Amino acid sequence: MAGDRRWDVVIVGAGMAGLATAIWARRLGLEPLVLEREHRAGGQLNQIGGRIFDYPGLDLPSGQALTERLLRQAAEAGAAVRLGLPVTAVSAATRTCTTSEGPVEGRALVIATGLRARRLEVEGEQELYAGGWVRRPSHDLPWFRGRRVAVIGGGDRAVENAGLLLPVARRVHLLSRSPLRARPDLSAPVLASEKVAHHEGARVARLLPRREAVTLEVVQGERRWELEVDAVCIYIGNQPNSQLVAGQVELDPQGYIVTDRYGQTSVPGVFAAGDVCTPPAYQSLVMAGGQAMAVAKRIALSL
Ligand code: NDP
């Protein structure tokens, strides 16, 4: 049982940041335990269907391949990883996690819970997700062949996925409520394609899944119009999973955990690593890996 002993470091989340912290902690002679609510490790790595290209020197075919490597290294190092054991509450003051197996206490606690996708929060969205209408080009690109697709969002992720669709989709509607904020190298080929219609200032007010298609009710300035497509891709950014420590450690106005340069939060002994404490523009695998190293070293030096 996870709670039968007091661990040096209890890490919540088995994504890149959590697993890397555990590997570093073991290397530094600590006894870490990683708690992951899902039955598989990887977190957001599971959403990377294509090659990993934002980690210099590392060339792997997918997020899953990286997860497998991290798990293997964690096992070889002797780090304990418990999948499928959700942490339902945290006491930052006592560095204790509540689980269905009882309390799990660490001499240090690391929050590495990452992000969750932001929702539009409009009528029909729930039904759309439940019915499998929301699809990811990075996962099942062949499915999109010959289809009409609405991509909602104007950041790198939306535009990158619109770009993936260009060789296969029949028509791509890119709907952004503001001017695109995606990097020019991502947006230029998308905007130049004849397949793409970019609707700027377009807000999706309602989603109506029907038998064979989805109708989007769009508000654009004074105009309200309808768009029928075969699939919808929603990429409107993310929100940090900081709920477990909200009200206990300092969060920034967007809900990201505030840390010092070593990953220390406002509560002594409680650390954070990865996207849950990193502003969106700086979120990357390489950042999560570096933060994990800093956190593990800081803990090793302080214990
Ligand atoms: P971003 O936060 O960068 O962009 C979110 C987009 O969604 C914006 O266009 C925003 O519009 C829009 N949006 C937010 N809320 C709503 C809403 N309620 N309704 C409609 N639209 C909304 O998120 P991304 O997921 O695109 O990117 C996340 C991070 O990952 C970024 O830092 C990005 O740079 C990085 N990334 C990098 C890639 C790469 O380098 N290859 C690829 C993919 C992601 P508004 O501007 O009006 O707020």
Side-chain angles (χ1 to χ4, degrees):
M1 300 275 270
D4 286 350
R5 54 188 276 202
R6 189 165 183 245
W7 300 86
D8 287 330
V9 194
V10 173
I11 301 159
V12 188
M16 173 72 187
L19 291 173
T21 304
I23 292 164
W24 272 102
R26 271 307 292 146
R27 249 182 227 158
L28 294 163
L30 302 171
E31 293 288 343
L33 167 68
V34 183
L35 297 172
E36 166 61 51
R37 71 176 167 193
E38 302 294 335
H39 288 277
R40 66 172 179 166
Q44 292 178 86
L45 289 175
N46 292 309
Q47 291 171 28
I48 307 178
R51 209 169 139 193
I52 304 278
F53 62 87
D54 78 342
Y55 203 128
L58 187 77
D59 194 357
L60 286 171
S62 66
Q64 195 187 337
L66 179 53
T67 304
E68 282 165 13
R69 266 198 192 182
L70 288 163
L71 281 174
R72 198 179 65 223
Q73 285 186 0
E76 283 169 2
V81 179
R82 278 296 308 272
L83 304 178
L85 187 60
V87 172
T88 52
V90 161
S91 163
T94 61
R95 298 169 310 282
T96 304
C97 298
T98 305
T99 73
S100 60
E101 293 185 0
V104 182
E105 194 185 333
R107 296 170 74 197
L109 177 64
V110 181
I111 307 296
T113 41
L115 305 170
R116 64 184 181 282
R118 187 178 286 131
R119 293 288 174 106
L120 286 165
E121 288 171 20
V122 298
E123 192 186 324
E125 186 180 25
Q126 202 67 358
E127 214 181 325
L128 213 70
Y129 274 100
W133 295 98
V134 183
R135 289 185 168 260
R136 290 207 294 260
S138 55
H139 270 53
D140 50 5
L141 194 58
W143 182 89
F144 288 91
R145 186 163 298 283
R147 293 197 148 103
R148 303 161 300 169
V149 190
V151 179
I152 304 173
D156 285 342
R157 198 155 276 137
V159 172
E160 184 178 53
N161 279 277
L164 289 178
L165 290 168
L166 295 182
V168 292
R170 170 148 59 102
R171 187 89 171 122
V172 178
H173 293 272
L174 179 61
L175 297 114
S176 64
R177 67 179 182 183
S178 321
L180 293 185
R181 59 159 101 153
R183 284 182 355 217
D185 61 314
L186 294 174
S187 58
V190 169
L191 296 177
S193 168
E194 286 181 356
K195 279 188 185 174
V196 175
H198 176 211
H199 309 281
E200 188 175 306
R203 192 172 56 78
V204 176
R206 200 151 69 116
L207 295 154
L208 301 155
R210 302 196 204 276
R211 264 176 98 75
E212 296 293 333
V214 184
T215 301
L216 280 67
E217 212 173 278
V218 182
V219 178
Q220 201 172 11
E222 298 293 299
R223 205 173 136 233
R224 186 176 277 266
W225 52 282
E226 288 193 348
L227 173 66
E228 191 187 271
V229 291
D230 305 305
V232 180
C233 307
I234 305 177
Y235 297 103
I236 57 167
N238 298 302
Q239 286 174 300
N241 288 322
S242 54
Q243 312 90 303
L244 284 171
V245 289
Q248 302 185 69
V249 308
E250 187 187 348
L251 306 181
D252 77 6
Q254 282 72 46
Y256 289 92
I257 298 174
V258 174
T259 67
D260 70 9
R261 70 172 80 172
Y262 307 113
Q264 166 73 61
T265 70
S266 58
V267 175
V270 181
F271 294 77
D275 290 354
V276 74
C277 62
T278 309
Y282 300 94
Q283 289 162 1
S284 79
L285 289 170
V286 77
M287 180 67 109
Q291 289 167 335
M293 180 276 291
V295 162
K297 278 204 171 165
R298 193 64 168 177
I299 294 170
L301 288 171
S302 66
L303 289 185

